[in-house]
Amino acid sequence: LQEQQHDFQVVDTSQKVISLLPISNLFEMLRSKGINENSLYLLAIIPFLALSITILKQVVGLEAIGFYTPLITTLALLNIGIKTGFIIFLLLYLFSYASYKFITKLKLHYLAKNALIVSIFSLFAILFISILAYINIDQIEIINFAIFPLVVLITIVESFAKQIYSSGYKTGSHKVLSTFLLCVISYILAGGEINILEYRFAFVEIKNLLIYTPEINILFIVCILYLGKWKGLKLTEYYRIKKYNDNIEE
């Protein structure tokens, strides 16, 4: 029209693609209202993480602490990254063992004991953040971004402490470390970024699929329902049986 010098008026420059997928339409509406991609991703990823954790625990046989602990830990890792998450997880592990061993000597009630553990670790977290801020002022923006995931991780310190104390240091530590291994696997499968030397690795295809075709979560829910009827042996149990049979044959 401009080339032919015709008069025209622009009515609407937006381009809207009507989708037959209802959840995708909801996500598109949320984007138009200003909800960022990362927030939508964290919502869409939960069924996938639930399925991953269920498979790793029920089919593979990894010994993790409950279901909520690895789920919330993986979500926190997706927020703050694997490197920072590993440091915080290591601090949680060390603090859990030391604090629970000391606090049990005080002979407090169960709820007061757990409240004291979480409260003390939160103070240590403040000290840790203060040191980071003092060393490098450029870390302030990262710290602001990571505060909520850090608070979430603080709430699971009681689970670690209880596991280590009730099962013994060796068995409890094994479960805590197995929990972190499960979280790392789920983190990678969910599209979390891994930095190895100068190389960056991430399954961005999974992230894009979940954001732009969230209906895939219906399939994940169906798979979870199927696993609810699972009666087969775990892979780790197959390994133990094979190892036992090999020892008998020898």
Side-chain angles (χ1 to χ4, degrees), residues 24 37 43 56 61 102 143 145 149-150 200 219:
S24 296
E37 294 286 322
L43 287 173
L56 290 171
F102 170 75
I143 291 171
F145 178 73
L150 178 60
R200 291 185 177 182
L219 176 61

Side-chain angles (χ1 to χ4, degrees), residues 19 21 23-25 27 31 37 40-48 51 189-191 202-220:
S19 173
L21 303 176
I23 306 178
S24 296
N25 286 334
F27 270 42
R31 288 190 193 93
E37 294 286 322
L40 294 175
Y41 169 60
L42 290 177
L43 287 173
I45 198 65
I46 291 176
F48 178 77
L51 176 61
L189 293 176
F203 286 124
V204 293
E205 293 81 7
I206 295 177
K207 182 176 181 179
N208 292 335
L209 179 65
L210 289 166
I211 291 176
Y212 296 106
T213 315
E215 284 78 11
I216 193 68
N217 282 316
I218 297 174
L219 176 61
F220 297 151

Side-chain angles (χ1 to χ4, degrees), residues 52-68:
S52 301
I53 293 169
T54 303
I55 291 174
L56 290 171
K57 290 193 65 176
Q58 193 166 325
V59 179
V60 177
L62 289 181
E63 297 182 5
I65 302 173
F67 176 82
Y68 173 80

Side-chain angles (χ1 to χ4, degrees), residues 51-240:
L51 176 61
S52 301
I53 293 169
T54 303
I55 291 174
L56 290 171
K57 290 193 65 176
Q58 193 166 325
V59 179
V60 177
L62 289 181
E63 297 182 5
I65 302 173
F67 176 82
Y68 173 80
T69 297
L71 176 64
I72 203 69
T73 303
T74 306
L75 286 172
L77 291 178
L78 289 170
N79 262 280
I80 61 180
I82 193 69
K83 187 182 294 184
T84 305
F86 173 74
I87 295 172
I88 295 174
F89 194 94
L90 182 62
L91 291 174
L92 281 169
Y93 166 68
L94 295 174
F95 178 83
S96 298
Y97 177 71
S99 63
Y100 209 92
K101 191 172 183 179
F102 170 75
I103 291 174
T104 48
K105 297 180 180 179
L106 300 179
K107 296 182 179 180
L108 301 174
H109 290 295
Y110 177 78
L111 291 177
K113 188 186 301 180
N114 293 335
L116 186 59
I117 290 173
V118 173
S119 299
I120 293 175
F121 188 79
S122 67
L123 297 179
F124 274 98
I126 293 173
L127 179 62
F128 175 69
I129 291 172
S130 301
I131 294 172
L132 284 180
Y134 179 79
I135 293 174
N136 190 353
I137 194 66
D138 296 332
Q139 297 285 343
I140 295 298
E141 186 175 347
I142 299 175
I143 291 171
N144 286 330
F145 178 73
I147 282 294
F148 182 72
L150 178 60
V151 171
V152 170
L153 287 175
I154 287 173
T155 61
I156 65 173
V157 68
E158 180 267 337
S159 299
F160 292 172
K162 182 180 178 181
Q163 191 66 46
I164 292 172
Y165 184 77
S166 61
S167 302
Y169 176 74
K170 186 176 181 180
T171 304
S173 297
H174 174 73
K175 283 195 174 182
V176 170
L177 296 177
S178 294
T179 300
F180 185 71
L181 175 61
L182 187 149
C183 293
V184 171
I185 296 173
S186 300
Y187 168 86
I188 294 172
L189 293 176
E193 188 176 274
I194 297 290
N195 296 325
I196 302 175
L197 298 178
E198 298 179 355
Y199 298 96
R200 291 185 177 182
F201 172 78
F203 286 124
V204 293
E205 293 81 7
I206 295 177
K207 182 176 181 179
N208 292 335
L209 179 65
L210 289 166
I211 291 176
Y212 296 106
T213 315
E215 284 78 11
I216 193 68
N217 282 316
I218 297 174
L219 176 61
F220 297 151
I221 292 172
V222 172
C223 292
I224 292 171
L225 289 173
Y226 172 76
L227 288 174
K229 302 293 185 178
W230 177 266
K231 296 181 180 179
L233 292 175
K234 300 173 183 178
L235 294 181
T236 53
E237 290 173 336
Y238 279 114
Y239 173 75
R240 292 193 192 103

